Amino acid sequence: MKALTFSRFGTSDVLEYKEVADPVLRPGELLVEMTSIGLNFADIYRRKGTYHLKGEPPYIAGYEGAGIVADSNHLPGFKKGDRVAFADVPFANATLVSVPVTHAIPLPEDISFDTAAAVLLQGLTAHYLATDSHKTQPGETALIHAAAGGVGQLLTQICKLLGAHVIGLTSSAIKKEIALLQGADQVLLYGEDWKQAVLDNCPAGVDVVYDSVGSTLEDSFSVTRTCGQVVFFGMAGGNPPLVDPAMLMDTSKTLTGGDLWNYLTSGEERIKRAHQLFEWIRSKQLQVATPATFKLSDGKAAHDFLESRKSTGKILLIP
C-alpha cells in the first residue's frame, strides 16, 4: 500500500509518500480502504517528535478518517463494502488501515466520507467539551478561544444548540467573520483589549471559558465569574502558566482538563456520540465547513498549509 511517512523528526521536508507493507490483521480488526483522511495539528506535533507516536520508522501519522471495509475478518456486524469511519485509530495516513472493530463507526448513507473525516475528531471533541467537561445550560455565557478553528466552529454551534450565549476569540478580521457565521453572538480579536470587552459585556464574568491556547490561561480565569469554570483542552499558543490553588479556593472557580480519549471508552460510546453529531448534521443544526482537500501524495503541502495558520476549516487528505 501507499502511505505518507517520515523516518526522522523535523519540518514537512521529512515527509515521504511511498510504498510500505500492508497492515496484517489481528483478531478483532477490520481492514479499511481509505477514502478520506482528516489532518490535525496532532499530526504536526507527531512529525516534530513532540507528541505520542506509535510504531517504528517509517512512521505513519493520522488518527481519523473514513472508508470502505475491504476485509471484515469474519467479524459479526460488518461485511466487505460497508461504509465506516473512525476518530481514534493510528496509522491513518495510508491507503489501507487496520481498524479495531470497537473503534469502527458505521457510516450512514446520507453522511459522506468527507463529512465524516472532517467532523469526527473535532466534532466529538466539541461534543464532550459542551456536554461533559461543562454541562452547558440555557442562558449561560461561554467564551471560546480560537472560535474560527476546527473545534472552535463546532463548539460554538453546539453551545448555541444547547442554549448558551457565545463570545468568540479570534486572531483576525477574516476569522472573526467566520466565527460570526457559525453563530457566535459576539467575536473579539486577540489584538485588542478583549478581557475588558468581555467584562463590559458580562460584568460578573462568563460562566465558562474554553481555552485551547494554553498561554492565555490566566487571562481566561480573569474573565470567569466567581464559581465559574475554565476548561483547558489545548496548548496551541504554548505551555500554560502554573495555576495558583489559593486563587481557585478564594474565587471558587474550577479548572477542568479535557481529553477526548477519556470519553471514547467503548464502541457503544463512540457510536452514540458520533450518531448525535450525524443527527445534528442531518437536521442542519450543525454545519460542517467545506474542507480543504489535498492528495495524500501531496501531504507536505497539506502540512505546510495547516502550519501557516491560514486554514479556517478542516484539511482532508485524499488517497
Side-chain angles (χ1 to χ4, degrees):
M1 69 175 185
K2 291 284 191 177
L4 183 66
T5 74
F6 55 100
S7 294
R8 65 188 194 281
F9 302 121
T11 69
S12 62
D13 290 335
V14 303
L15 293 171
E16 296 180 282
Y17 181 71
K18 65 181 185 180
E19 191 77 27
V20 297
D22 289 359
V24 176
L25 287 185
R26 295 176 295 184
E29 292 182 339
L30 305 165
L31 184 65
V32 175
E33 182 178 353
M34 299 302 293
T35 302
S36 188
I37 303 162
L39 180 65
N40 296 284
F41 256 104
D43 299 316
I44 303 292
Y45 302 147
R46 291 184 182 100
R47 190 200 72 215
K48 292 181 175 180
T50 58
Y51 205 62
H52 61 80
L53 181 65
K54 292 191 174 184
E56 301 291 335
Y59 298 112
I60 301 173
Y63 267 73
E64 172 188 37
I68 297 169
V69 174
D71 186 344
S72 65
N73 204 14
H74 307 293
L75 292 169
F78 290 93
K79 64 182 185 303
K80 184 176 180 179
D82 282 350
R83 306 169 78 248
V84 296
F86 56 83
D88 56 340
V89 177
F91 318 127
N93 286 351
T95 54
L96 294 172
V97 179
S98 56
V99 177
V101 69
T102 53
H103 292 52
I105 299 168
L107 191 58
E109 289 292 336
D110 58 352
I111 303 295
S112 71
F113 294 113
D114 283 1
T115 295
V119 78
L120 274 178
L121 192 59
Q122 293 172 339
L124 290 171
T125 297
H127 180 269
Y128 89 78
L129 290 171
T131 61
D132 294 282
S133 295
H134 177 81
K135 297 187 183 299
T136 306
Q137 302 297 318
E140 288 187 330
T141 297
L143 175 66
I144 298 176
H145 283 270
V151 172
Q153 291 187 42
L154 296 168
L155 182 57
T156 295
Q157 294 182 67
I158 293 174
C159 286
K160 291 295 293 180
L161 267 173
L162 298 174
H165 179 92
V166 172
I167 302 173
L169 281 167
T170 66
S171 60
S172 69
I174 293 175
K175 291 185 176 183
K176 176 177 179 177
E177 291 304 312
I178 291 168
L180 288 169
L181 286 173
Q182 302 308 312
D185 297 285
Q186 180 183 8
V187 180
L188 305 171
L189 300 181
Y190 285 111
E192 60 192 23
D193 189 357
W194 61 267
K195 290 182 289 182
Q196 187 58 54
V198 169
L199 293 174
D200 288 344
N201 187 275
C202 301
V206 300
D207 296 286
V208 60
V209 180
Y210 290 103
D211 194 325
S212 57
V213 178
S215 58
T216 54
L217 199 58
E218 285 184 350
D219 295 331
S220 294
F221 273 111
S222 73
V223 297
T224 303
R225 67 169 175 84
T226 300
C227 298
Q229 183 178 10
V230 173
V231 180
F232 167 63
F233 69 102
M235 296 181 287
N239 291 331
L242 296 177
V243 175
D244 181 4
M247 178 275 292
L248 297 178
M249 179 179 67
D250 292 343
T251 61
S252 297
K253 296 177 183 179
T254 301
L255 173 62
T256 300
D259 192 313
L260 176 61
W261 315 127
N262 294 322
Y263 294 92
L264 299 185
T265 54
S266 67
E268 292 76 17
E269 195 66 28
R270 289 176 180 84
I271 291 171
K272 180 185 75 173
R273 290 175 182 267
H275 281 213
Q276 175 66 83
L277 292 177
F278 296 157
E279 180 54 39
W280 282 336
I281 293 169
R282 189 177 291 117
S283 62
K284 302 189 184 304
Q285 293 177 284
L286 189 66
Q287 304 291 327
V288 182
T290 301
T293 59
F294 292 80
K295 292 180 180 179
L296 183 60
S297 57
D298 293 333
K300 180 186 184 308
H303 276 235
D304 290 341
F305 184 53
L306 182 57
E307 282 192 278
S308 74
R309 303 282 181 172
K310 294 177 182 177
S311 63
T312 56
K314 191 71 175 185
I315 296 173
L316 299 182
L317 302 172
I318 308 300

